[in-house]
Each structure stands twice: as structure tokens, then as C-alpha cells.
Amino acid sequence: AISMAACTSTASSSTASATASAASKTLTAGTYTATATGHNGNVTVEVTVSADSIDDVKVTDSKETAGLADPAIEQIPTWIVENQSISADMVSGATYTSVAIETAVADAITQAGGDPSAWRIKHESSEKGTTEQLSSDVIVIGGGGAGMTATIRLEELGKNVILVEKTSSLGGTIRVSGGNQVVTGSALQQEAGVTDDSAESMEEDFLKNGDNKNNTTLLGIYAENVGETTDWLNQTVGVQFDMETGLHKLAEYSNNRELAYTGGGAGAAVTMADAVDQSGAQVLLNTTATALTVTDGKVTGVTATTTTGKTYELTADSVVLATGGYGNNDDLLPESASEGLFYGLDSSNGSGLLMATIDGVDAATVNMDYVKEYPNGIETSKKHAKSTIAGNIAAFGMSAILVNKDGDRVVNEKDSNKNILAALQAQDDQELYLVMDAETYDTWKTKLTGAGISEEFLEQWLQNNGSSEPILTTGSTIEEAAKAAGIDGTKLQKTVDTYNGYVASGTDTEFGRSADYMTQSIGDGPYYICEQKARYATTMGGLSVDENLQVVNTSGTAIDGLYAAGEIIGGTMGTDSPSGANNGWAVTSGKYVAEVLAK
């Protein structure tokens, strides 16, 4: 059973109408279409009105992320009609979509000759101030990859679960991730042609990538269990993997061990959310856990509040914290992340971490100074980024190169993200630029929709042509595109000519880019240049746990009744996580902790 705990009101439309004068609310009957900008592109609504009421609101077109925006698309139009108001509470986790719908409806009211301000009427929920008590075997806090996996497996093993999620939908960070996962030791990896990978090889690669600051116990749990978890996720939960594209060849790994989810992270999240719905667990959406209940040193439950003001007092034998990281909390982030751009969910604010570390719970933390930074962000709003990594993977398989402000290549474009990031951060302006010919750009742009970069956005940025962020420029010549981006065009043309020479010879004598990724010269224009900045979302630090993923306090003792899964756990990755690692850890740790609790 899923409780939305949202969009309820005791106010009637007649009461709403009385709040403003009839004259100011008068409309010309008809159906009107309006559009406003959402998170990924335009959101279009169709609004039908009569002389004094809003009769119907439909979202007719949207490029918003599947699953993440669905609650807003479903709930906001209904709320507007039921309450005759365009001041609905924002749907948690889908704020941009909520605002876009309300803005578009306001435009439609204007088209109908009305005054939108007369329709901005606030309502108070009938649930405000009420309290409900619930109990179960296990309470899971957080509905991302780790929380959903833990819930599904616990219910499968006979445990009753209450899953608490503060946003309006399940999915969490996995929904907006690059959609890739480590699959070491799985049947899928063998099916894709790799039969000689091992847990030991995976551990060695992770230790190297994490500067040997990994918790080797947790890393061992991950490496030894991710294969079985992947097959369970595929065969039992129903998550599909992109076997047609197959395993990715990445510099971080000595064996090919990363697969993409079919439909990306959003596709995997929708499948997992459906499995949660079918599992029998009780799901409380729009519900924020605010405090752990501690009785005689044991965590026995959680207090939570809904967006409508209702309080839940939840009790259970065990609590699993799966609330994700702290990428959107400046108070918890290290200073080293201050130059980067945040590209994760606004809900990644460390709430579970803060609950567990207060006096009386006293959970210990580890590796709080480390965040996972990537080198392929574009600044879509102040200090916020979207990722071009999916497009870059395709582009570097064609003819794209990376250059600095001087127009020079500074790195092997197919090196590890960690090394490309280091090259980026070595630049005075903390920036690199992706250079593409017409053919490569046409492929690159089709790969970005999963990251919320629509072709509408790309066209808008190209019209700006370097005059504002994000920098995406074009020109009929290399020099013309470079000038708009503020790059030395003469030098960039020489760089392009030199690179094309490497393609012809089959050897990159400067940076060692593999001939496998130099099969095409940079060809005909128009040419395109896109900024590449550091971005972060995933945090490496978090709660200290033991071999059972039971949270440990500052004295080194396991806290009775309190467990963790996913990104909230610190130490597994060390200083940095390789590609596909975080999704793999989320599902592996979620399944693992469920099996510990079911024993």
C-alpha cells in the first residue's frame, strides 16, 4: 500500500471562489494551451475553463524524467481543478515540474482574460496536526536504489517493511544517475563475454582508484556479492540490462565489468519501484524521517512528518538508513568541492547522517572529506550542472577531443574520469572544452536526454552561442566556433590538424589515445564546442558500519537496531568511486543488509 500523504484539502471550490471577487476571476470559456520550462525542457498544458471555474487541466507534452516527475504531472492538475487554485504545494522531488505546470496554467488563465493572482488561493490540509502510529519488523528510510532493494528482499524473505521516502516518488539518485552498474561475477557478465573477472581483481582496481583509503571489509562484501545481486536484480526483480551495447571498456577497470540499464537509471528505478509496490511493503511517500527513537540504547523506531503536516510514530525491530549522501548540504561538504557543480537530487542533503550522529545515537562517520567528482558537467544554473557523460562516451568513440582555453589537448580523452578530472582541475579556469564535428555532434546530442538535456535546451544554448552559461558554441569553421567560446582558434585548428594526423597514423604520440577510439578524423562542419566542468553529486563519506552493515558509534560499538545501506555508508569507495560503482553498491548493500536482518 502506498500512501501519498499529499494534495488533500478541506476547502471547497465555493470557499475558494469567495476569497476573490467574482469580477477578478471572470474567464472567457474555452480551451487554452500554454507552455513553461520544466527541469528537462518545455511542459505543455491544456486548460479548459468556463466563465467562473477551471474545469480541466491536462499535461499534453513533457520531457521530464520518467517516474521522477510523474507524481507532479498526475497530482498538480487534479489538485488545481478540485481546489480551484493554482497555488498547490510543490510535489517534493519534482519542484521544477510543479512550478512549470502552475506557471503554464497561470498563462492559460491570462489568455482566458482572467487575473492569475485571483486564483492563487492557499489551502490547509485536514491532516495537519494529526498523528498515526504504525509498526513493522523493519523500517527502511530512503527509497533510492539501496532502500528499494532492501525492501524488496526483506519482503521476499518474510519480513514486514515500512518504507519511508521524503519525496513524491521512489527512485532516488539511481533514477538520475548515468544508468550504469558494476556486474562482476554475474551471469550477465559471462554472457557478455567476460569469464575471467574476479572479486580480487575488482578489489584491486577499487583500491587503486580509491587511493587505498577503502574499508577493505566493505569492499570485500561488495566484490563478493555484486554478481549474485545483479542476477537477482535481473531475474527476480526484472531490471533489464543493455546487452546489445554490452560491457563498457573503461580505463578504471582491468576487466570489462560495467553494463548499462535498459532505459538508463530511470528505467531501472521504475522497474524497482514497481517491484516494491508488488512486494507488500507499506510505502509512505512525501514523508520525512525527522528523528530516530532510542529506547535503552536500542533504536526502536522513527518519527516522521508528511508534507501535509501529519506525524507518524513508527516502531520496528530494526531501522535501515538508506537516505543517500550529502552532496546538497554545504555544511557537510569539504571545501574541495566548492569549485564543482552539484548535479544530484536536492533531497541529497545528509538528513539520515544528521539523524544518526546527534547526541544519544552518536554514530561515527568516516571519509567525510571525499566526494565523487566527474569532469563532464555543464553549468545549467548557478552552481548546478547536468551531465554530458553519456554523449561523451559516444563522441569519444567517434572524433571528439578535449582541449583547454588555449586550444591545446591536455589528456587522453579515453583515460579514467579521475585522470581527466585532474587535467581539468589543473587549468586556471577549471574548465575543458569538448570539440566536435557535425557528425559527432549529431550523435552526441541524442544521448543526453537521460541526463535532462533536451534538444530544446541545446538549441537555446546554441542561440546564446557563448554569451551565457552553459557555453555551447557553433561555427562553420573551427576558428569561428572557437572565437564564440573564447578559445584561441588558430591554435585549436593546429590541434585538430595534429589529431587528424594521429588518426591517419593510428598512433597518438602525445597522450596515447587507443587506436580503437581514433577511427574517425575530425571532419566537416559546422563545428561545436561545449564546456566541460567538474560536477559532483555522490559523496564518499558517511556512517561507519561493521561487517553486518550495522552502524557503529563513536566508541566503536555497534548500535543495536540501526543498520545502513548505500551511499550513506562511508569508506567503501575510498577517495573516489569508479564508473558504475555507486549503483552497484546501492543494490548490493541493500540486498545484503536485508539478508542479515532476515536471519
Side-chain angles (χ1 to χ4, degrees), residues 207 213-220 366-367 544-545 570-574:
L207 285 167
K213 295 188 182 296
N214 314 64
N215 180 315
T216 54
T217 298
L218 298 180
L219 182 55
V366 63
N367 285 6
S544 180
V545 298
T572 309
M573 307 296 172

Side-chain angles (χ1 to χ4, degrees), residues 135-363:
S135 63
S136 67
D137 297 323
V138 182
I139 297 166
V140 176
I141 306 176
M148 289 190 294
T149 305
T151 298
I152 295 163
R153 185 61 172 151
L154 281 163
E155 287 283 347
E156 186 179 37
L157 295 173
K159 294 292 184 180
N160 295 320
V161 180
I162 296 174
L163 175 58
V164 180
E165 167 55 39
K166 63 184 172 184
T167 72
S168 57
S169 62
L170 300 179
T173 301
I174 200 169
R175 187 188 297 280
V176 295
S177 71
N180 304 309
Q181 187 200 299
V182 168
V183 296
T184 294
S186 65
L188 289 173
Q189 186 187 30
Q190 294 190 26
E191 181 184 333
V194 173
T195 59
D196 59 350
D197 197 8
S198 66
E200 291 76 19
S201 173
M202 177 175 160
E203 290 177 53
E204 288 174 5
D205 289 345
F206 272 60
L207 285 167
K208 180 180 179 181
N209 195 79
D211 296 318
N212 288 296
K213 295 188 182 296
N214 314 64
N215 180 315
T216 54
T217 298
L218 298 180
L219 182 55
I221 289 171
Y222 184 8
E224 291 161 14
N225 289 278
V226 65
E228 180 184 319
T229 299
T230 300
D231 292 333
W232 170 81
L233 199 65
N234 176 235
Q235 297 165 13
T236 301
V237 180
V239 173
Q240 300 300 303
F241 290 77
D242 182 4
M243 301 301 289
E244 182 176 346
T245 301
L247 294 163
H248 302 161
K249 185 176 182 180
L250 300 168
E252 292 93 333
Y253 296 132
S254 53
N255 291 280
N256 297 340
R257 59 169 67 102
E258 179 188 83
L259 279 172
Y261 300 122
T262 300
V270 169
T271 300
M272 295 169 72
D274 287 344
V276 170
D277 189 28
Q278 296 167 19
S279 72
Q282 183 168 7
V283 181
L284 306 178
L285 298 175
N286 295 304
T287 304
T288 300
T290 56
L292 296 169
T293 304
V294 181
T295 306
D296 297 327
K298 174 180 169 61
V299 172
T300 57
V302 179
T303 299
T305 58
T306 72
T307 54
T308 55
K310 180 179 182 177
T311 297
Y312 282 109
E313 294 177 353
L314 309 175
T315 57
D317 297 329
S318 305
V319 173
V320 177
L321 292 172
T323 52
Y326 48 91
N328 197 34
N329 188 330
D330 289 341
D331 292 335
L332 294 176
L333 283 170
E335 188 176 342
S336 61
S338 62
E339 292 295 325
L341 306 172
F342 179 65
Y343 72 95
L345 297 173
D346 290 345
S347 56
S348 296
N349 59 7
S351 58
L353 195 72
L354 294 171
M355 277 195 300
T357 53
I358 64 168
D359 291 344
V361 184
D362 302 313

Side-chain angles (χ1 to χ4, degrees), residues 343-563:
Y343 72 95
L345 297 173
D346 290 345
S347 56
S348 296
N349 59 7
S351 58
L353 195 72
L354 294 171
M355 277 195 300
T357 53
I358 64 168
D359 291 344
V361 184
D362 302 313
T365 60
V366 63
N367 285 6
M368 292 292 290
D369 286 341
Y370 306 122
V371 300
K372 170 61 183 179
E373 290 188 274
Y374 286 92
N376 32 46
I378 55 175
E379 189 168 6
T380 52
S381 62
K382 184 69 174 176
K383 291 293 291 179
H384 282 73
K386 292 186 179 182
S387 166
T388 65
I389 189 169
N392 290 12
I393 290 172
F396 294 143
M398 299 175 72
S399 65
I401 60 173
L402 289 170
V403 302
N404 64 10
K405 199 78 167 180
D406 295 326
D408 294 323
R409 283 179 76 215
V410 293
V411 71
N412 172 1
E413 292 84 357
K414 285 300 294 181
D415 207 335
S416 67
N417 283 318
K418 187 175 183 179
N419 289 341
I420 295 174
L421 177 69
L424 182 155
Q425 293 179 326
Q427 307 305 311
D428 290 341
D429 61 353
Q430 297 273 299
E431 196 163 355
L432 292 177
Y433 298 87
L434 182 68
V435 180
M436 297 170 282
D437 62 18
E439 182 182 2
T440 299
Y441 176 79
D442 285 344
T443 296
W444 177 80
K445 70 180 182 180
T446 66
K447 306 293 184 181
L448 305 178
T449 53
I453 303 174
S454 66
E455 292 200 28
E456 288 174 351
F457 280 165
L458 293 173
E459 287 301 317
Q460 178 184 327
W461 301 336
L462 283 172
Q463 287 177 15
N464 296 335
N465 206 32
S467 64
S468 62
E469 290 288 350
I471 302 302
L472 177 63
T473 68
T474 187
S476 59
T477 65
I478 290 288
E479 290 90 341
E480 186 179 341
K483 182 179 180 181
I487 296 172
D488 185 326
T490 302
K491 189 174 285 187
L492 179 56
Q493 182 63 64
K494 290 180 180 178
T495 297
V496 168
D497 293 340
T498 299
Y499 176 78
N500 283 347
Y502 296 152
V503 174
S505 68
T507 303
D508 177 3
T509 57
E510 282 185 285
F511 300 106
R513 179 163 164 171
S514 168
D516 293 342
Y517 297 99
M518 292 197 305
T519 60
Q520 295 179 224
S521 298
I522 299 173
D524 295 334
Y527 301 95
Y528 299 84
I529 297 175
C530 182
E531 69 177 26
Q532 299 282 276
K533 296 182 176 182
R535 63 182 173 94
Y536 69 89
T538 309
T539 43
M540 302 294 96
L543 297 176
S544 180
V545 298
D546 64 13
E547 69 278 4
N548 293 316
L549 305 193
Q550 190 166 359
V551 180
V552 174
N553 65 21
T554 52
S555 300
T557 303
I559 300 172
D560 196 10
L562 187 61
Y563 296 79

Side-chain angles (χ1 to χ4, degrees), residues 36-108:
T37 302
H39 188 269
N40 298 346
N42 288 338
V43 176
T44 301
V45 301
E46 187 178 271
V47 182
T48 300
V49 302
S50 52
D52 59 357
S53 69
I54 302 171
D55 298 330
D56 189 38
V57 176
K58 294 176 182 175
V59 175
T60 58
D61 188 40
S62 164
K63 294 179 175 62
E64 305 296 79
T65 303
L68 193 64
D70 289 350
I73 291 171
E74 295 165 2
Q75 294 172 25
I76 297 291
T78 300
W79 193 96
I80 289 172
V81 174
E82 288 181 351
N83 294 281
Q84 294 295 292
S85 168
I86 57 172
S87 291
D89 290 334
M90 299 298 98
V91 173
S92 181
T95 302
Y96 285 99
T97 310
S98 301
V99 170
I101 295 169
E102 293 191 8
T103 301
V105 174
D107 182 16

